[in-house]
Amino acid sequence: MTVMRKSSVVNFFVYVVSLLPFWVLYRLSDILYLVLYYITGYRKAVVYENLRNAFPEKSEAERKQIARRFYRFLPDLIVESIKMRSISAKEVKKRIRIYGMEELERHFAAGKGVIGVTAHYANWELGIHRLSLLTDHPVLIIYKPLHNKTVNTLYNSVRSRFGAIMVPMKQTLRKIVAYRKQPHISMFVADQTPGYRDADYFIRFLNQDTLVYTGVEKIARKTDFPVVFCHIDRLRRGYYCCTFRTLVENPAEIPEHGITDIHNRFTEDIIRQRPEWWLWSHRRWKRKPRT
């Protein structure tokens, strides 16, 4: 079966499931929680190792509580991501409140592009739809292509439903330069795990030496566009808020690695406040400093 045909089959299945009302999807999520946490123990070893290393000051009971809350949230994230395939614009706006929009408008009014930064926190996927509906200016979503071409094609078709422009990571600079003369926002999910050939800068992040991408900093320096963090938080089941905050006004004034440090510290602070909404099943610390 060709990649295109596989994508069509998967896309049709996801579309049919996405038509279910939220209350049905959340009943499915309740069942999926039992499967992931109690039956299969999906990536439990990874989750508990990450939590032990990130929060050595917490008791085992506290870490177990965070893990359980994470596993309770993860199935909601899955069904909400499926819902993105058919959700209406009106429903998207209803489910994500916006704060700090004046930060984006201020930069756009000055004729500038914006380097947006977010993390694998709360529902960053639904945040793509909300951002696309927030402005008439171009919205570029910088992404790391998946090895599975079928899933990659499906993700991109869903994410771009409301006009988002999907940009593979290796094409980032070329694409942003193409839009440099008009206001726009380029959104990076900055807490991904890079390979050694893609990054060489380590920071202390959640008590661990962590290899991080420096792409946000490099693009900000080349364009002199401000860096704005998009903090998506969960209010209650199915409802979120997104707060925009400018972290760096003038990138040229920040010393080397300073921008990278700033947005990673901001991400870390968010995770420490409410750790259950971060993607703990992500193998974030696969790379170790080379001796």
Side-chain angles (χ1 to χ4, degrees), residues 6-278:
K6 284 182 180 178
S7 298
S8 297
V9 172
V10 175
N11 188 37
F12 176 75
F13 174 76
V14 171
Y15 176 71
V16 171
V17 176
S18 75
L19 294 175
L20 296 171
F22 270 103
W23 71 267
V24 175
L25 288 173
Y26 285 133
R27 295 296 79 77
L28 294 176
S29 175
D30 294 339
I31 296 171
L32 187 55
Y33 161 65
L34 297 176
V35 173
L36 294 178
Y37 188 73
Y38 290 104
I39 299 176
T40 67
Y42 172 72
R43 289 196 173 185
K44 264 192 175 181
V46 173
V47 171
Y48 279 103
E49 180 183 7
N50 284 344
L51 287 171
R52 278 193 299 271
N53 292 336
F55 303 115
E57 75 283 2
K58 293 185 182 296
S59 68
E60 190 65 25
E62 289 174 314
R63 291 192 291 265
K64 188 173 183 179
Q65 184 180 52
I66 294 171
R68 185 178 290 111
R69 287 175 177 171
F70 162 70
Y71 276 105
R72 194 63 196 83
F73 166 64
L74 182 61
D76 281 2
L77 177 63
I78 293 171
V79 300
E80 288 168 6
S81 296
I82 291 174
K83 188 66 177 177
M84 286 174 61
R85 176 63 182 82
S86 63
I87 193 171
S88 68
K90 181 179 179 181
E91 189 71 20
V92 172
K93 294 176 181 178
K94 172 185 170 183
R95 289 184 175 270
I96 302 188
R97 300 176 187 172
I98 298 297
Y99 300 102
M101 183 59 192
E102 63 275 7
E103 288 294 286
L104 294 185
E105 291 174 341
R106 176 166 63 86
H107 299 309
F108 291 156
K112 293 184 177 181
V114 170
I115 305 298
V117 185
T118 193
H120 289 102
Y121 190 85
N123 196 332
W124 67 93
E125 290 286 354
L126 191 59
I128 294 174
H129 276 359
R130 189 66 184 93
L131 182 62
S132 302
L133 295 166
L134 197 61
T135 176
D136 291 330
H137 297 300
V139 174
L140 280 58
I141 305 298
I142 314 303
Y143 75 98
K144 185 177 181 180
L146 301 173
H147 294 298
N148 188 313
K149 293 183 179 180
T150 299
V151 177
N152 192 71
T153 299
L154 174 62
Y155 272 167
N156 284 350
S157 66
V158 171
R159 290 164 171 166
S160 59
R161 277 188 60 221
F162 295 112
I165 301 166
M166 304 305 298
V167 181
M169 196 173 286
K170 293 186 182 299
Q171 299 176 23
T172 303
L173 180 59
R174 184 192 320 164
K175 199 71 173 180
I176 292 177
V177 167
Y179 285 91
R180 71 187 183 281
K181 294 184 179 180
Q182 62 176 305
H184 68 279
I185 181 168
S186 302
M187 184 60 66
F188 292 75
V189 180
D191 60 341
Q192 301 184 72
T193 304
Y196 287 117
R197 63 183 178 182
D198 298 318
D200 60 1
Y201 183 56
F202 280 84
I203 65 170
R204 289 295 290 179
F205 184 83
L206 292 173
N207 290 310
Q208 297 160 89
D209 291 327
T210 307
L211 184 63
V212 295
Y213 280 112
T214 55
V216 168
E217 175 164 334
K218 290 176 181 177
I219 298 296
R221 287 183 180 281
K222 286 182 180 294
T223 61
D224 202 31
F225 291 159
V227 177
V228 176
F229 200 96
C230 173
H231 175 195
I232 300 174
D233 204 357
R234 197 186 201 209
L235 301 174
R236 63 184 189 279
R237 196 176 211 185
Y239 292 87
Y240 300 85
C241 66
C242 175
T243 304
F244 294 103
R245 177 173 173 179
T246 300
L247 298 184
V248 179
E249 289 277 357
N250 302 298
E253 299 176 359
I254 308 298
E256 184 180 10
H257 297 313
I259 296 173
T260 302
D261 290 339
I262 289 169
H263 71 71
N264 277 289
R265 289 285 82 80
F266 194 81
T267 300
E268 183 180 38
D269 288 343
I270 288 170
I271 295 169
R272 288 189 178 280
Q273 290 173 29
R274 301 183 71 183
E276 59 267 33
W277 308 144
W278 198 51

